[in-house]
Amino acid sequence: DLVFKIIFTATLGASLSNAMQCMHPAPAPGYKDELYAGRWYEVGKYQTAGGAIFQAGTVCTIATYNPYQDQNTGGDIGYSSRKNSPTGNFVNATGILEPMEEPGHFTQTLEFFGIPGPSVDYNVVWLDEDSAIEFDCSEHIFGFLDYCVHFMSRTPTIAPEKLEAMKEFIAESGLNMQNLEYMPGDQNMCWE
């Protein structure tokens, strides 16, 4: 019995010491709330199973950021999508982005049916006039983690060469830590 406890404790300790941890990437150079503000269409993502729970089977996904008045004071974030088809039931979540030490780095807390969910580390790692990449990550017990890399555009479509440049940026940054398969966003017939 004592030998089992020692082996179990050693195994658990070893697995925890080798556990994956969230990366904390630098925010997009020159991040400004006013550039990130407004509506974004999700054109694709890398997403772990745990990160995908609320987005499973959704299409027409958008994110909308409404910053508070002062620069880098955070703001409201909202997500909307449809279940299975452009006419399916809405799947929505709202929450807040609380600023961290650098502009573009936040703690995100979403509410589901009025109940606050766990906070996640939220990072805008790419930002220009017409595209953005958001990386969020949360660590769980026993070294498990969930992360999402969201590729977003100001329009429901994105030029293929721009998307490839964004995917290459993520590959070089190492943010797709588990080498997840890319999942294109479905914006077909959503905005007609």
Side-chain angles (χ1 to χ4, degrees):
D1 192 37
L2 179 60
V3 173
F4 172 77
K5 288 180 182 178
I6 291 170
I7 292 172
F8 176 78
T9 303
T11 303
L12 179 61
S15 67
L16 289 176
S17 67
N18 292 326
M20 292 188 80
Q21 295 181 331
C22 288
M23 295 178 68
H24 300 284
Y31 173 90
K32 296 211 178 309
D33 274 343
E34 50 272 10
L35 189 56
Y36 193 53
R39 174 181 282 195
W40 293 97
Y41 298 85
E42 183 183 77
V43 295
K45 62 190 169 193
Y46 298 116
Q47 191 169 49
T48 59
I53 289 172
F54 117 84
Q55 283 192 299
T58 58
V59 299
C60 308
T61 302
I62 60 169
T64 305
Y65 178 53
N66 185 20
Y68 303 138
Q69 201 148 16
D70 296 329
Q71 178 64 26
N72 200 35
T73 56
D76 297 321
I77 188 82
Y79 300 93
S80 182
S81 57
R82 296 289 193 132
K83 191 71 171 174
N84 299 320
S85 76
T87 58
N89 290 334
F90 280 102
V91 179
N92 297 335
T94 58
I96 57 170
L97 295 182
E98 297 176 68
M100 301 296 285
E101 65 284 345
E102 295 181 77
H105 183 202
F106 302 92
T107 297
Q108 174 185 253
T109 306
L110 296 179
E111 284 191 6
F112 300 93
F113 311 106
I115 301 168
S119 295
V120 300
D121 189 61
Y122 182 105
N123 304 270
V124 179
V125 297
W126 170 296
L127 182 63
D128 60 31
E129 313 75 41
D130 59 5
S131 63
I133 301 172
E134 180 271 321
F135 169 78
D136 58 78
C137 189
S138 60
E139 296 174 6
H140 307 288
I141 61 170
F142 303 119
F144 294 105
L145 62 82
D146 286 311
Y147 70 90
C148 306
V149 178
H150 297 278
F151 296 87
M152 300 182 292
S153 174
R154 288 291 186 189
T155 62
T157 60
I158 191 167
E161 59 276 4
K162 177 74 171 258
L163 180 59
E164 284 307 311
M166 295 167 75
K167 288 165 68 175
E168 182 61 31
F169 171 81
I170 292 301
E172 290 173 5
S173 72
L175 291 176
N176 185 8
M177 298 174 282
Q178 297 175 16
N179 295 315
L180 300 172
E181 186 176 326
Y182 176 77
M183 295 181 281
D186 186 351
Q187 299 288 341
N188 292 319
M189 300 188 304
C190 296
W191 315 106
E192 297 175 353

